[in-house]
Amino acid sequence: MKKFILLLVVPLLISACGGSPASSTLSTALPTVDESYPAPIKANPIEGYPGLQDSTQGTPVSEVDTVILSEGELPPAPSTVPAPADGMGSISGTLFSFTTRIVLRDTMFYLTPAIGPADNEVPPALFGPQEGSDDVVGRTDGQGQFFMDNVPPGSYFLIVEAPMNWAVGMQEDDLSMPRMITVEAGGKYPLGVVFVPWP
């Protein structure tokens, strides 16, 4: 009886330890990239941004020069704001990474409503703009600038698409504090440079 049990157990141990090929294989397929909002695809953030193409020139990224600004130097920000749509507010600005010191060109971002008892807190989890929510989606141009005329009245935080994550726009005078943007109907708000901890 013992010999019979050993004869059954030994082949099972051999196959469990890799003695024979497994019947199932792991998938090695990479996730697809949504090219409408291209995220960085390289480990080096300087090489990985802007997106797959410079949206204003149609130039492949490999041929676009990324300028790293000097310490204390800031990119230009638009001083004008478009006229808001009826019942809406409008904003303009430039997205700037204060960690890598580059302008975030051709980059998707969104405004998400503030939450909490006083409507002044960033949502605890950021998953990107959600369909059916009050999120307002925008995108920077080839100079990292944005112009939006369709922001409903309310208080928002600006959330930027970053490698493997979402980054919150910060206050210029305190780069550890999220910057809240309050919009009123008919209001025009030049935000200047919006500082982003990216990546």
Side-chain angles (χ1 to χ4, degrees):
M1 181 69 174
K2 289 181 182 176
K3 287 182 181 179
F4 179 75
I5 293 174
L6 280 175
L7 288 174
L8 288 175
V9 171
V10 170
L12 290 173
L13 288 174
I14 291 173
S15 65
C17 294
S20 63
S23 59
S24 62
T25 58
L26 294 176
S27 173
T28 56
L30 296 174
T32 59
V33 176
D34 177 2
E35 294 191 14
S36 61
Y37 289 129
I41 55 175
K42 299 182 182 177
N44 182 335
I46 302 303
E47 294 177 2
Y49 244 78
L52 301 180
Q53 280 192 353
D54 178 275
S55 62
T56 58
Q57 304 297 325
T59 306
V61 167
S62 58
E63 299 172 21
V64 175
D65 293 329
T66 299
V67 177
I68 302 174
L69 300 181
S70 304
E71 189 68 36
E73 184 182 4
L74 293 177
S79 58
T80 60
V81 184
D86 287 345
M88 302 290 184
S90 60
I91 63 173
S92 66
T94 298
L95 293 186
F96 175 64
S97 167
F98 64 85
T99 52
T100 56
R101 305 209 56 79
I102 61 174
V103 172
L104 301 181
R105 301 180 295 178
D106 197 23
T107 301
M108 193 271 281
F109 67 92
Y110 68 102
L111 301 174
T112 194
I115 64 168
D119 288 331
N120 63 353
E121 299 173 20
V122 179
L126 302 171
F127 301 105
Q130 301 298 302
E131 195 171 329
S133 71
D134 292 328
D135 295 335
V136 185
V137 179
R139 190 179 187 89
T140 59
D141 62 17
Q143 286 72 49
Q145 298 183 358
F146 59 88
F147 302 86
M148 300 177 74
D149 65 356
N150 62 337
V151 183
S155 295
Y156 299 90
F157 291 97
L158 192 150
I159 313 298
V160 180
E161 185 178 36
M164 311 288 286
N165 204 352
W166 295 94
V168 181
M170 298 295 184
Q171 296 181 18
E172 181 178 1
D173 56 350
D174 185 350
L175 296 176
S176 66
M177 291 294 295
R179 178 180 181 179
M180 192 168 74
I181 302 162
T182 300
V183 174
E184 295 180 1
K188 297 167 68 173
Y189 304 91
L191 302 179
V193 176
V194 177
F195 293 82
V196 181
W198 181 96

